[in-house]
Amino acid sequence: MKDQIKAHVKWQVEAYVKSKKDHENENIIKKIESFQNRNAEIVKVMANTTITDRKQEDDHTYVHYDVHMQYLIKQKDKMYMEEKLEHHLASFYKDKLYESREINQEDIILNQRQIEAELEENDDMPRISYRYDRLKAVQYAEKWWNSYNPAYKKFEVDCTNYISQCLHAGGAPMRGYPNKSKGWWMRSNNWSYSWSVANSLRIYLASSTAGLQAREVGSPHELMLGDVICYDFQGDGRYDHNTIVTGKDALGMPLVNAHTSNSRMRYWAYEDSTAYTPNIQYKFFTIVDNP
């Protein structure tokens, strides 16, 4: 079974390198088109497969496995590596593979739309001085992009929790404890809405006047390393996802890290995402110092 899974993954890897836009896998087609639209080329793809679970039901066997995908990208004279962890389910009948599909983690974001949290005004919160260390924020984002810091709670929809951890690693101060509707904090297995809920963090970044603060800009090109992008996949005004800028491509556009569908150095627009729709809206926030 392991050999059949590896052969299936190898077949998919070859589709990326050969740019087979007629491939039956829609996710592969979308990713190929995303790179071609940026005049970027997939030079090499590497895939490491790990079986995580196996279940037997009579003549049927169901195998869960992870694929750590690595894409070596060339754009103009710049080379960089994009990475993503994919979760798959392979189905066998009498030990013969008849189906293998990706379990799209980004669909969880849409199927489990997070609570709409009302945030209280922050005008009465004391001023906290800090300087945002973008390098430390990015270093943290790189260290934990495909794993989970045991010092923090892990969420099924973990994207905002991960971004909050990155911002805190960069020196952004927590405040507001123990009011879940106020400030931005995590402590003693408890947390504010703004720490863990995508739409609440978006509201907080737009409105905070003390502690962690940000300024909205009109273009992703204006963002720096350590800044935040918020995603409203359905364009209904309720933001579903957040990422942190960890690099720039050859055209100066952001590359981002994220959780839920764990990925690093991914192109900011998410056009290859299963959650992407033509109605998608973005918010671009640059983190500001509060000396």
Side-chain angles (χ1 to χ4, degrees):
M1 291 183 183
K2 187 174 182 179
D3 289 341
Q4 293 181 66
I5 289 173
K6 285 186 174 181
H8 177 76
V9 172
K10 181 180 178 181
W11 170 67
Q12 292 191 315
V13 164
E14 290 175 348
Y16 284 112
V17 178
K18 296 177 182 179
S19 294
K20 292 182 178 179
K21 294 182 67 174
D22 58 346
H23 196 279
E24 65 182 27
N25 188 310
E26 183 180 351
N27 294 342
I28 291 178
I29 295 172
K30 289 171 69 174
K31 196 163 196 72
I32 291 172
E33 290 178 343
S34 174
F35 283 117
Q36 291 179 342
N37 291 339
R38 298 162 47 214
N39 293 319
E41 176 187 1
I42 304 175
V43 177
K44 185 177 182 180
V45 180
M46 294 164 284
N48 183 38
T49 306
T50 304
I51 293 176
T52 58
D53 190 35
R54 175 174 169 168
K55 183 179 180 180
Q56 188 75 39
E57 294 182 0
D58 297 325
D59 290 333
H60 294 269
T61 307
Y62 302 98
V63 178
H64 287 266
Y65 66 98
D66 291 344
V67 184
H68 180 184
M69 300 292 297
Q70 295 177 297
Y71 308 89
L72 182 61
I73 310 302
K74 181 179 181 181
Q75 187 184 40
K76 291 188 175 182
D77 296 327
K78 183 173 182 176
M79 305 278 287
Y80 69 91
M81 184 76 76
E82 176 183 327
E83 300 184 67
K84 183 183 178 185
L85 183 69
E86 297 180 354
H87 303 283
H88 292 253
L89 174 63
S91 302
F92 295 82
Y93 179 70
K94 293 184 177 180
D95 296 335
K96 184 175 181 180
L97 178 67
Y98 67 86
E99 181 187 40
S100 183
R101 62 181 178 85
E102 182 181 353
I103 302 171
N104 292 310
Q105 295 297 101
E106 284 159 9
D107 289 344
I108 295 175
I109 297 173
L110 298 181
N111 293 334
Q112 182 184 315
R113 302 207 72 183
Q114 296 173 327
I115 61 172
E116 187 79 35
E118 292 293 332
L119 301 184
E120 297 180 8
E121 293 296 327
N122 298 309
D123 292 341
D124 61 337
M125 300 296 289
R127 182 177 180 274
I128 304 175
S129 298
Y130 75 96
R131 289 193 178 277
Y132 185 51
D133 191 325
R134 297 177 179 277
L135 177 59
K136 286 185 178 179
V138 171
Q139 288 174 335
Y140 186 96
E142 288 286 86
K143 179 177 180 179
W144 297 104
W145 79 268
N146 194 27
S147 58
Y148 302 88
N149 188 340
Y152 295 93
K153 176 181 172 59
K154 175 187 172 183
F155 296 82
E156 182 179 14
V157 178
D158 198 63
C159 58
T160 304
N161 176 45
Y162 168 68
I163 299 306
S164 289
Q165 292 176 36
C166 296
L167 294 171
H168 186 55
M174 297 185 193
R175 63 186 184 86
Y177 174 84
N179 190 335
K180 293 178 72 69
S181 299
K182 203 165 190 176
W184 173 79
W185 55 270
M186 173 176 275
R187 187 192 300 181
S188 303
N189 203 32
N190 201 0
W191 54 90
S192 65
Y193 297 126
S194 58
W195 182 277
S196 62
V197 179
N199 196 48
S200 296
L201 179 61
R202 188 269 304 178
I203 294 171
Y204 182 80
L205 291 177
S207 61
S208 175
T209 58
L212 170 61
Q213 296 178 63
R215 175 173 54 87
E216 186 175 351
V217 296
S219 166
H221 198 273
E222 299 177 64
L223 296 176
M224 298 179 285
L225 300 186
D227 285 338
V228 175
I229 302 177
C230 306
Y231 301 74
D232 172 9
F233 288 114
Q234 296 180 335
D236 60 2
R238 186 171 179 173
Y239 283 71
D240 311 285
H241 186 52
N242 297 303
T243 66
I244 184 170
V245 178
T246 53
K248 292 290 187 79
D249 71 4
L251 302 179
M253 299 300 284
L255 304 172
V256 299
N257 285 23
H259 266 197
T260 302
S261 180
N262 296 355
S263 51
R264 69 174 293 270
M265 301 293 278
R266 183 174 183 173
Y267 190 63
W268 71 271
Y270 265 59
E271 292 172 337
D272 60 337
S273 169
T274 56
Y276 178 89
T277 75
N279 298 321
I280 192 169
Q281 297 291 320
Y282 309 93
K283 292 282 187 182
F284 309 109
F285 290 102
T286 185
I287 308 302
V288 298
D289 292 332
N290 192 355

